[in-house]
Amino acid sequence: MLRRIASRCARGLGAGGGAHPAVGLCHPGRSSSSRSSDAPRNQPPSSEFVARPVGVCSMMRLPVQASPEGLDAAFVGVPLDIGTSNRPGARFGPRRIREESVMLRTANPSMGALPFQSLMVADLGDVNVNLYNLTDSCRLIREAYQKIVAAGCIPLTLGGDHTITYPILQAMAKKHGPVGLLHVDAHMDTADKALGEKLYHGTPFRRCVDEGLLDCKRVVQIGIRGSAMTLDPYRYSRSQGFRVVPAEDCWMKSLVPLMGEVRQQVGGRPIYISFDIDGLDPAYAPGTGTPETAGLTPSQALEIIRGCQGLNVVGCDLVEVSPPYDPFGNTALLAANLLFEMLCALPKVTVV
């Protein structure tokens, strides 16, 4: 019986004959060698042959490996939530998103995308963050992502609170220079400090501006809403050249026209996608730390991500999923689907 299961897993998991043991990015482990152009690519196993509860809990049950070498794209977990200001629990986000990802399949008919026929993809496990030191965690994240992008691998990140985007963008800018940013969120995340601290999930993009990591004329923030401390909460972002699209400007309409404008704005240079799940209305995504009412819908989220198809996307993240506030797993399921959509929007993905 076990031999038959192993055989079926090997067929479904593609190259390498199955998943390697799960390991963290800061731990030694097996790494794959660079693949030749005619080598088989990793494929998530089909539920026709492998039951969904079977196998290692990786993203889409893809092989887990320790090195980005030979990969075109990879899912990476960053289980950090010590930068949160309200409800914690995002440290459990990567694991829960992976659990819900068993529902995902290999093709995206709506986009005409076949990512696993185009790209070598795996799960790189989690960054081994320091849950007792936020500054040190940022260093560990930055160093891990520098290795990923240096290998030519595009990271798709499972967060984790939004603090993690700051060290990721440090790694991105080291390779690509200042990048454009598509930021979906209920909040600006451009505060300067809180409780005297300049590093937490409300400040990542302020720190990025301070360090010149962003091409500010190619930064778009969508879905911003909620109460504020002033009547002009957009002042800082707009003063830097960001385009800010409040949630009110998105209510009850398709965002396809907006994304046409965004595509013209960002052009063909590198762009990073950072998607905070609280950009969506809490009716759809309750499992998050700082929910705000009257947000985006899942269909609008799909329009935003699909609108990035063909752009020079160099990395993505999906942050702020907090499983303790997601009792039925709907938020994590939505997050898993959005990450798959991001994978399908990457450059070089076959579109038919």
Side-chain angles (χ1 to χ4, degrees), residues 8 12 44-53 61 102-105:
R8 289 174 178 175
S46 168
S47 58
E48 294 181 28
F49 304 107
V50 183
R52 287 196 171 101
R61 295 189 292 176
V102 298
M103 283 297 298
L104 297 171
R105 302 163 185 91

Side-chain angles (χ1 to χ4, degrees), residues 107-185:
N108 188 329
S110 298
M111 294 178 72
L114 296 165
F116 299 103
Q117 290 188 17
S118 320
L119 307 176
M120 179 64 96
V121 188
D123 189 324
L124 288 177
D126 294 330
V127 177
N128 187 24
V129 295
N130 182 349
L131 291 177
Y132 308 112
N133 188 317
L134 187 56
T135 301
D136 189 47
S137 286
C138 286
R139 175 189 64 82
L140 292 166
I141 296 166
R142 181 180 65 252
E143 291 175 354
Y145 276 76
Q146 285 174 345
K147 294 176 182 177
I148 293 170
V149 298
C153 176
I154 298 176
L156 300 107
T157 301
L158 294 64
D161 74 56
H162 222 153
T163 312
I164 71 174
T165 306
Y166 164 52
I168 293 173
L169 285 173
Q170 286 180 315
M172 291 291 161
K174 183 175 181 180
K175 177 171 182 176
H176 300 287
V179 297
L181 174 69
L182 178 62
H183 172 210
V184 183
D185 204 322

Side-chain angles (χ1 to χ4, degrees), residues 14 92 95 112-113 173 190 235 250 252 267 273 295 335:
F92 304 115
R95 183 168 299 182
T190 54
R235 178 181 298 176
C250 303
M252 290 173 284
I273 301 172

